[in-house]
Each structure stands twice: as C-alpha cells, then as structure tokens.
Amino acid sequence: MDDSSRNKLMWASFLTLVASGVGFAVRTAMGGIWGADFNIDGQQFGQIMGAGFLGFGVMIFFGGILTEKFGYKKLLMAAFALHLLSGVMLFVPRYSPDNAFTILYWSVFLFSIAQGLYEAVINPLIAQLYPDNKTHYLNILHAGWPAGMILGGLLAAALVGDAAWITNLSYWELPLASFMLLLFVYAFLAFPQEFPETVGESSSGNWGLIFSCFASPVFILLIFLHGCIGYVELGVDSWTTNLMKNLLPNSILILVYTSFLMFILRFFAGPIVHKINPIGLLFVSSVIGCLGLFWLGTPIESVFTIFAAATFYSLGKAFFWPTMLGVAGERYPQSGSVAMGALGAAGMLTVGLIAGEAIGYKQASNASAKLAEISSETFDRYKGGEEKGYLFLPKYAPLAANLVATANSSKQLEDSKDYDVAGYFKLLDPTLEELSRTDPEKFEQKMKSGTASLLAEYEKKISDQKDPESYKQILECIRNANKDISQVQAADIYGGRRALTLTAYVPAIMAIGFLILMLYFKSIGGYKVLEVAEDGTLREATDHHDS
C-alpha cells in the first residue's frame, strides 16, 4: 500500500475517534438539562451513559470476529450508518418527553455499537499498517478520543447550560449531534481506499490460531485488567462534568483540560512508550491514577487545587487504553482484531454494565444520605420516588432529580443572601421556560414581581394540576429556598467526592495485577515482542524492545 492511502486510512481512523469523543463529551454535560427537562435522575443518567459503552463492549468483540470474516471496509460502512441513525434519534425526545429516557438510552446504545465497530476495525488496521511501530501509532490513533472530547467539551462550554460562554442554546440537540459532521469527512477519506486483508483473510481461515490467545492465562488477566481500565478511565470521564458541577463555574472545562493532557501525552509520547516496558508503565500509571482519584475526592476548595489533582489523575490514565492494545498486538499478533476486540469488550462492558450506573449509585446514594444528615426537613422536601438499589448494594431514598438540578443551577442574588428561584417556577409552569427564551425581558419583569406574589398566583392553580403532590413539593421548595439550596448543593458535592474516593480502589487493584505481570515477565527473561512466522508459529520479533 502506498503512503498516501496509508495516511488517509490513518487519519480517517483518527477521525472516527474524534467524532465519538465529541458526542461523548457533549453528552456528559446533559445531566442537569435532562434532569430539569425530563426528570432523569442521577442513576438514570448513569444508565444512559452506561449505554454509551454497553453496545460498544458487545460489538467490539463480535465486531473483531466479523472484521476477520468480512474485512475492514464493510464493517466501517456499517458503523457509519448506525452512527448517523443515533444522531437523528437525539431530536425525538423533545416531541415525546414521556419517552425521553427510553429514546435517549437507545440513541446512545446505537452510538456505542457504532463505536464498537469502529474500534474493531481501526485498532488491528493501524497495527497492520504500521507493523514495526504498533504501540506508537496506536497511541497517536487514540489521541483522537481526547481530541474529540476537547472539541465537544468546548462546544458544550460555549452552548450548553446556564454557565454557557456564548448562549444557553435552547436546542441542545444541535451541539449533541454535531459529531455527525465529522462522519462525512472520514467517509470521504476512507471509503474510496483499498483496505489491506485482515489476519483472518490472509491466514486461510485458521481460526484455531486466531483464537489461541484465550488459552493464555496472561491474556485472561489482561482482559480482567482492561475491564478495570474501562471502569476507572471511561467510567470517571462519564461522570467528571456531573461530579464537578458545583465546584467550577463551568464544570465541562475539567473534562476539556484532562482530555487536552491525554491528547498531548498520547500524540507526542508514543516513542517513549515504545522504548520502555509497557507493563511497568501500566503499573506506574495505576498507582498515579489511584492517588489522583483520592486527591480529587478530598474536600478541595480552590480551583487551582482541583486542576492540580486533575493533572495528576490525567498522568495516570493517559496511557492505559492504547498501551494495553499495544500489548495485545505485540504479545498475540496471531489473534489479530480478536485479541484487541476482547480487551476493548472487557473495558466497555464493564463501563456499560457496571461503572456508569455504579458511579451514579455512589454519587446519588451518598448525596441523599448526606442531605438527610444535614437536615431531615430539607431532605423531605427534595425526596424523590421509590427507594433504589444497585446489585447487592443497599437501597436508598433518592432525591428528585429535577429539584436537585434546579438547586444546583440556582445562584445567590447580587447584594442579597436570597437565591434565584426562577428555575423552580419554570418547573411549575413550562410556559415560563419558553418565555425566558423568546422574551427574556418579559420573563425578568414577571420574576421581579416578587416570590410572594408569584407563589400566591401559582398556589391558586394546584387543583388544575395532573400531579398536585409534585406541584405542592415544588412550592415548598420555593418557600424554603434560601435555607435549602446551599444544603442541597453541599450534599451533592459530597456525593460526587465520595464517588471518586470509592472509585480509587479500582486502580489500586489494577496496580496489584500489573505487578504480578511484571514479576511473571521477569521470570521468563523479560517482556518480548512476538511475530507470526511463515509456518504459523510465534517467534521473537527482530525489531523490538526488551524489558
């Protein structure tokens, strides 16, 4: 293959991850908006974010098998179609709010299936295009993910939420679906090209050789550890914006910042990763990631300290995913996309089935318990529906997602200790939301008539409501806003910090696993890069790094 075609395929593959990163980053900023618009609570938001990895986990494994059977190009075209469909579905919830959770869940699930097909194709494709420098180019390839999160994060910071730099765009679907623009660029680059044969196509269907990686105990341990990587890297990224929302003016910036650090490290540090022991690097990264999460989970008041802790955590997580894929490519070259797909599946299934909802459970349950501890009266006013649990963990009484989202977005008025309660009135009367967007001056004038007079106005309308108890609950929150809001915000911050602290135990487990692998490779003479000989056997590669 000539250099021009190879470069086009490299950059097209890079753009698939950029597009996925844009969609993911904007989605992380939707928690408050979906909570206010559709009453989607923290655990439900975690389920939606988890769906963004569940389909990925399933498809990246089976996609690896399909790639070996049908080749790279057909799978990439299927991913393109599914990715477009997922974007179109984002525009439906506005017209069917009662089904918003279900529609958003399946839109994100399709998005994740497309992602899984992408990675089932691009990881072995890049390893095959650059056989003498796999880890380096896999790190460059996976710099596309944080690059996409930077673009998506900046887009969300500019157009999404009350703290938006430019405007709080009423049609949040537009920035959320903006990733679709990138799809046509990579399609233009990739689809006209001739793709190389997969390992399966070129090995005359020797499937026993391709699946031989699963006979290795070391590979089974790598699968477990990559599941942990999915939890600690993507699980935390899913929640970073939500967990930091009360600590920063625009919390999406913390995701932009950590993504920028990942981009720099992955894009420019590939040669370093190639020349050192990748297992040792993964061990050190696990230790740093563990300490970074503990630091982020401590009571931090200054913005500088938050970013310092985030910097430390980013140094830990930057090399996890691509370096593990590099290990799969270097130690199990006979397994092609199946080995890489199995690792990717473990990571994504862990996020989709466990991490997304588990972190949401930890945040929501701890926030609820903290508010009950601070004030039982405030807790009663903000209490949500029936008790919730997760797997074998104890049940808790959840807080009402729309009320918590409104409290988090409420600021103290200038020259006053009172809080802005306009958000609560919007919950009472959806027409006020539309008025605030179409005629801000008239909306402000109505709000200036005073809380007492507005309360009296809306108290008269209780009998007209379909859900009078919920209506009364909002009225009670308005009456006690100046007392309650700071307590709700404090409880929510505590829940986020506690979730990060508990998550720090995952990289601690990873560190133990990588230490075991370091000792194993030392016992067999060091880490060696392998290649497939002409007779189908494995041998030490002629150009490799020993450690």
Side-chain angles (χ1 to χ4, degrees):
M1 176 177 289
D2 62 73
D3 288 342
S4 175
S5 295
R6 185 166 69 167
N7 289 336
K8 286 179 180 178
L9 289 178
M10 172 68 194
W11 289 111
S13 301
F14 181 85
L15 284 175
T16 65
L17 292 180
V18 175
S20 297
V22 168
F24 173 82
V26 180
R27 194 185 310 144
T28 66
M30 291 292 117
I33 292 174
W34 290 345
D37 289 358
F38 308 122
N39 200 24
I40 290 174
D41 64 22
Q43 194 164 347
Q44 287 177 313
F45 181 70
Q47 287 178 277
I48 293 173
M49 295 303 291
F53 303 103
L54 180 58
F56 187 121
V58 172
M59 191 51 65
I60 193 174
F61 178 71
F62 289 105
I65 299 172
L66 293 172
T67 299
E68 296 297 342
K69 179 67 176 177
F70 297 107
Y72 298 122
K73 190 171 187 176
K74 291 178 181 177
L75 270 292
L76 198 61
M77 294 175 75
F80 172 81
L82 289 172
H83 218 175
L84 278 181
L85 178 59
S86 74
V88 172
M89 288 177 65
L90 294 171
F91 294 87
V92 180
R94 181 180 295 270
Y95 305 100
S96 183
D98 292 341
N99 300 307
F101 171 76
T102 302
I103 296 167
L104 290 169
Y105 182 92
W106 288 108
S107 168
V108 174
F109 184 76
L110 284 180
F111 184 103
S112 70
I113 288 179
Q115 280 186 284
L117 287 174
Y118 288 145
E119 290 228 20
V121 171
I122 63 177
N123 289 325
L125 174 63
I126 298 307
Q128 192 171 343
L129 291 176
Y130 301 94
D132 297 329
N133 218 353
K134 295 178 183 178
T135 305
H136 170 52
Y137 280 98
L138 281 168
N139 269 276
I140 290 178
L141 172 67
H142 282 269
W145 173 256
M149 289 201 290
I150 293 168
L151 293 175
L154 292 174
L155 191 63
L159 300 174
V160 175
D162 294 330
W165 294 339
I166 299 175
T167 182
N168 183 6
L169 198 65
S170 58
Y171 285 91
W172 47 263
E173 299 93 332
L174 296 177
L176 190 56
S178 61
F179 69 88
M180 291 193 292
L181 297 175
L182 292 166
L183 304 187
F184 295 101
V185 179
Y186 89 71
F188 173 78
L189 286 173
F191 292 163
Q193 307 304 317
E194 290 293 330
F195 285 71
E197 289 185 327
T198 65
V199 174
E201 289 174 315
S202 60
S203 63
S204 302
N206 189 348
W207 292 95
L209 180 65
I210 291 171
F211 282 91
S212 63
C213 57
F214 292 101
S216 166
V218 171
F219 187 72
I220 302 304
L221 179 56
L222 288 174
I223 288 177
F224 169 77
L225 292 173
H226 205 76
C228 294
I229 285 174
Y231 192 112
V232 76
E233 180 180 333
L234 297 175
V236 172
D237 281 349
S238 300
W239 275 96
T240 296
T241 301
N242 220 34
L243 298 180
M244 294 288 175
K245 59 182 175 292
N246 289 325
L247 299 177
L248 295 170
N250 198 325
S251 59
I252 191 69
L253 293 181
I254 197 73
L255 183 62
V256 172
Y257 176 69
T258 57
S259 299
F260 175 75
L261 292 177
M262 286 178 65
F263 174 79
I264 295 297
L265 291 168
R266 287 182 176 180
F267 203 88
F268 295 106
I272 298 175
V273 178
H274 184 68
K275 293 181 183 298
I276 63 177
N277 184 337
I279 304 299
L281 174 65
L282 289 165
F283 169 75
V284 173
S285 295
S286 299
V287 173
I288 294 174
C290 174
L291 296 176
L293 283 175
F294 270 121
W295 192 1
L296 282 170
T298 59
I300 301 174
E301 300 302 332
S302 83
V303 173
F304 174 80
T305 309
I306 290 173
F307 277 90
T311 300
F312 195 73
Y313 167 64
S314 297
L315 292 174
K317 73 171 183 175
F319 298 116
F320 278 148
W321 199 277
T323 302
M324 283 287 281
L325 293 178
V327 170
E330 291 177 344
R331 294 295 301 178
Y332 304 95
Q334 80 281 10
S335 297
S337 59
V338 170
M340 292 184 178
L343 293 186
M348 291 299 180
L349 286 173
T350 300
V351 181
L353 294 174
I354 302 175
E357 191 171 354
I359 295 175
Y361 168 87
K362 286 182 281 188
Q363 190 276 334
S365 61
N366 280 283
S368 180
K370 189 65 175 179
L371 186 59
E373 177 187 324
I374 294 172
S375 171
S376 59
E377 293 179 355
T378 302
F379 174 79
D380 287 338
R381 282 189 285 271
Y382 279 79
K383 190 162 56 175
E386 298 179 356
E387 287 190 340
K388 291 187 173 184
Y390 179 67
L391 297 179
F392 56 86
L393 299 174
K395 291 186 176 182
Y396 69 99
L399 302 175
N402 56 345
L403 294 177
V404 173
T406 304
N408 282 327
S409 63
S410 299
K411 309 296 181 185
Q412 279 190 317
L413 300 170
E414 292 184 10
D415 303 321
S416 172
K417 293 183 180 180
D418 295 340
Y419 279 87
D420 177 14
V421 293
Y424 293 91
F425 282 110
K426 290 178 182 179
L427 292 179
L428 287 175
D429 185 357
T431 63
L432 290 178
E433 178 67 37
E434 185 66 24
L435 182 64
S436 69
R437 293 169 176 169
T438 57
D439 194 343
E441 291 185 8
K442 187 175 181 180
F443 174 76
E444 288 295 327
Q445 185 178 5
K446 186 174 181 66
M447 290 298 107
K448 287 180 180 178
S449 63
T451 300
S453 61
L454 284 172
L455 274 171
E457 176 186 339
Y458 284 100
E459 281 174 343
K460 296 177 182 178
K461 301 178 180 180
I462 291 179
S463 60
D464 299 331
Q465 303 306 308
K466 294 180 180 179
D467 186 0
E469 290 304 314
S470 177
Y471 196 86
K472 289 177 182 178
Q473 184 180 16
I474 298 171
L475 289 173
E476 281 300 306
C477 290
I478 295 174
R479 293 189 188 98
N480 296 277
N482 294 328
K483 172 189 173 184
D484 292 349
I485 289 176
S486 61
Q487 296 176 341
V488 175
Q489 291 178 351
D492 211 48
I493 290 173
Y494 173 83
R497 286 171 170 165
R498 186 64 180 155
L500 290 171
T501 300
L502 293 172
T503 303
Y505 289 101
V506 178
I509 294 171
M510 289 163 51
I512 295 172
F514 288 121
L515 180 60
I516 292 172
L517 288 176
M518 287 171 63
L519 295 174
Y520 165 75
F521 282 115
K522 184 177 181 180
S523 71
I524 63 171
Y527 180 92
K528 308 289 185 181
V529 179
L530 304 179
E531 64 182 10
V532 181
E534 292 182 3
D535 61 0
T537 60
L538 294 178
R539 67 185 182 192
E540 184 179 337
T542 55
D543 179 19
H544 64 280
H545 51 276
D546 294 346
S547 300

